[in-house]
Amino acid sequence: MIKRGIHVRDSRPNERSKRDVVTLKDVARAAGVSPITASRAFNPLQAHKVAPRTRERIFRAAQELGYRTNIPARALRQQRTYQIALVVPYISDSFLPDIVEGIQIEATKSDYSCLLYVTHYDREREYAAFKSLMRKLVDGVIWFPSVSPHPELMDLVRDLPVVQLLHKEHPDAPAVLVDQEHGAYLAAHHLIELGHQHIDALMYLDRHGGQRVKGFQRAISEAAGVTGRVHTASGSDVLDAQRAVEGLLASGFFATGLVCYSDVMAWGAMRALQTAGRRVPDDVSVIGFDNTQLSESLEPRLTTVDQSRLRIGEQAVSLLMKSLSGETCDDLVITPSLVVRSSTQAPPPAGKPGRLRPATDP
Amino acid sequence: MIKRGIHVRDSRPNERSKRDVVTLKDVARAAGVSPITASRAFNPLQAHKVAPRTRERIFRAAQELGYRTNIPARALRQQRTYQIALVVPYISDSFLPDIVEGIQIEATKSDYSCLLYVTHYDREREYAAFKSLMRKLVDGVIWFPSVSPHPELMDLVRDLPVVQLLHKEHPDAPAVLVDQEHGAYLAAHHLIELGHQHIDALMYLDRHGGQRVKGFQRAISEAAGVTGRVHTASGSDVLDAQRAVEGLLASGFFATGLVCYSDVMAWGAMRALQTAGRRVPDDVSVIGFDNTQLSESLEPRLTTVDQSRLRIGEQAVSLLMKSLSGETCDDLVITPSLVVRSSTQAPPPAGKPGRLRPATDP
DNA sequence: CTGAAAGCGCTTACAG
DNA sequence: CTGAAAGCGCTTACAG
């Protein structure tokens, strides 16, 4: 009996399994060329070296056989995996998920995929993530650093392209930052422009808190006759903020504007105010920070500082791509902007709890 | 001059770069063994075949040289990448992020890392994600399927281990599901037990909505003398819910209990009720669904149905690990539970808006 | 425009 | 307990 050998797979009917993989060699054989030529046809930089008709034959064969490039094999040869790692403390909050999502989508455009590592602010876990991603030979890392990372991790960071996100904990790796000081300045300035004379801040003192306090104070000190006090909450939760403002109200809170550390804290602040019978914005104007989903959902809708999370993600990827191609990169500082909604307006006339804004003084 | 050859790296002082990688061969040479033996020392299943003292020597050499396994190379040989892919529509919401986080942490325990693909409910993007992950040779996939996935994607799913998350769109791949019907049943049943006679539901009709409506109706029909109507909102946002309930109030809403599709919608419902002067829970009890962060932040704190997101993630990973080892897997249905907080209590006495609960009827 | 040889770093049988 | 050979699937110079 003569073997025709037209359908190689006939010998294993219905035995398609993942491991029964179609290789470049198979495609080459089917197209009647060498694997080298086949490889070239699939590489955009080399494809022009292959005769158009040959290329077509190769593509058709690949199509018919269901060929898919084996990326790990290519990675081994090229010393390039087309994978980047994302190391972040958490993703269950409205701030980071958007950034992570942006990064993933942006990376996809350059044909990169993202390995995700969640650290829960645990230094050991963070270090473990780095050890793991080095073994995976990722081409680079986008990293939201913990407060003071594991010293050995700091060494690893020197050995591969890393972009830091929002905090610069490592001096040697470039970072995508947001000008926190300016954000808080914008918030306070907005209230000043509306005519507020007594503006307070409700802050939480983490790594960004200090800069925000500074921005707030700069705006206050620039405006003649405006007083501003900074209060700090012991946590950054709704309830922390709510309790803090309850405390302020109990001890004689007379500001007409309140700049908050975050949208979440602004929510808590608004709740304390409203429960105490102070209307927002009629009696007190409130500003948040982050422009999260929440700011649209609150009542009144929240005026807030937007850190433009999408751009943070995009910029982080483009910075990383740059350092992958060997360029040295500087830090990138994004300028936040103010989103004005309904939680801020001119202050009520002095001495009176505000109703509708009167055009003249009493 | 005689070469002592103790420090191989001396020839390239200060030239450590990522590509200047220490290989198993280097370790073997430094330890005076063959690469085969070195390889065995690092493989838990083979390590016992290496003499303890040899093993020690190998480990020490590895330590000194800073050796790290090259996973892509190993993947090529073993046909196993120790990577799984996560394909989800989004991660900017309080529900999925927790699951994704759980999956990542659980996978890490088995030494797997996770490739993240975000699809934004876009079928093309979802299909592209699958094409990409196949080329990466991931060992398996955890997939939150879109409503009716790309037909070609459905074919791909047959070729590798896939576990579906929360929705079963593909008949051949096992799924981790939550008993939605039971969840809504629990919610309605809780109100019935508290003594409510008029209980409404505020639902949103997506893939889970239908089951939740059924569970709600079953609880109602089981209880003698209890009436229950189902209302549906046009969206699942806070404002959609708020407007829906405003509409109900305008057209004579007289239920004392309200089962909502989600925590977010419960928030909107509560806001509409409170704005209209109805107190929660004194006048109306409200129940949410999902037990998200939000349910702790609302005032009053929200009674809600917990889908145990952490367990969903854990179970998805363990199901996937099972199918990786060749076992055939059945679907896994998780039973949700009720978390009782402060937004539910016994109904006010008939005809009166409730104050403190009276012990007897008027 | 096309191909034969060599090698990326690892591990799997097969010998001893 | 240890090692020489072969190969996973791809691509990179080097020839022609």
Side-chain angles (χ1 to χ4, degrees), chain A residues 51-86:
Chain A
R53 301 182 57 184
T54 318
R55 227 185 303 157
E56 282 243 328
R57 231 172 337 123
I58 294 168
F59 287 153
R60 224 181 3 247
Q63 179 77 41
E64 270 169 31
L65 298 176
Y67 171 70
R68 277 187 293 264
T69 312
N70 180 324
I71 305 271
R74 191 218 267 162
L76 182 59
R77 188 61 240 247
Q78 292 192 326
Q79 300 290 53
R80 189 159 194 190
T81 53
Y82 290 90
Q83 286 188 181
I84 62 178
L86 242 66

Side-chain angles (χ1 to χ4, degrees), chain B residues 148-174:
Chain B
S148 54
H150 198 293
E152 308 253 347
L153 184 160
M154 299 299 267
D155 289 342
L156 291 181
V157 169
R158 279 183 205 99
D159 286 357
L160 83 173
V162 174
V163 169
Q164 294 174 89
L165 220 47
L166 285 159
H167 298 280
K168 180 148 183 146
E169 291 288 341
H170 199 294
D172 300 351

Side-chain angles (χ1 to χ4, degrees), chain B residues 50-60:
Chain B
V50 179
R53 301 182 55 185
T54 318
R55 227 186 301 157
E56 283 243 328
R57 231 170 338 123
I58 295 168
F59 288 154
R60 226 182 2 248

Side-chain angles (χ1 to χ4, degrees), chain B residues 209-222:
Chain B
Q211 296 172 271
R212 293 186 190 173
V213 167
K214 263 191 208 158
F216 173 79
Q217 287 172 329
R218 180 163 63 87
I220 298 295
S221 66
E222 278 178 18

Side-chain angles (χ1 to χ4, degrees), chain A residues 193-306:
Chain A
E193 286 213 311
L194 286 172
H196 290 262
Q197 307 273 328
H198 302 292
I199 304 172
D200 281 8
L202 177 63
M203 289 290 163
Y204 172 65
L205 293 182
D206 64 353
R207 284 179 285 181
H208 282 161
Q211 295 171 272
R212 293 187 191 172
V213 168
K214 264 191 210 159
F216 172 80
Q217 287 171 330
R218 180 162 63 86
I220 298 295
S221 66
E222 279 179 17
V226 174
T227 68
R229 290 181 310 184
V230 174
H231 312 283
T232 60
S234 56
S236 60
D237 241 348
V238 208
L239 287 178
D240 298 315
Q242 187 170 354
R243 279 191 216 108
V245 173
E246 282 164 4
L248 295 182
L249 287 165
S251 62
F253 173 78
F254 60 91
T256 57
L258 186 62
V259 174
C260 298
Y261 172 83
S262 67
D263 291 347
V264 169
M265 287 184 71
W267 182 21
M270 275 170 52
R271 216 155 62 180
L273 290 167
Q274 288 166 339
T275 304
R278 310 269 192 121
R279 290 166 302 167
V280 178
D282 308 70
D283 300 321
V284 183
S285 288
V286 175
I287 301 194
F289 211 109
D290 288 348
N291 194 21
T292 53
Q293 178 78 51
L294 183 65
S295 56
E296 284 276 11
S297 302
L298 291 175
E299 240 178 14
R301 291 162 64 247
L302 192 65
T303 296
T304 188
V305 177
D306 180 45

Side-chain angles (χ1 to χ4, degrees), chain B residues 66-85:
Chain B
Y67 171 69
R68 278 188 291 265
T69 312
N70 180 323
I71 305 270
R74 191 219 266 162
L76 183 58
R77 188 60 240 248
Q78 290 193 329
Q79 301 289 52
R80 188 159 194 188
T81 53
Y82 289 89
Q83 287 188 180
I84 62 178

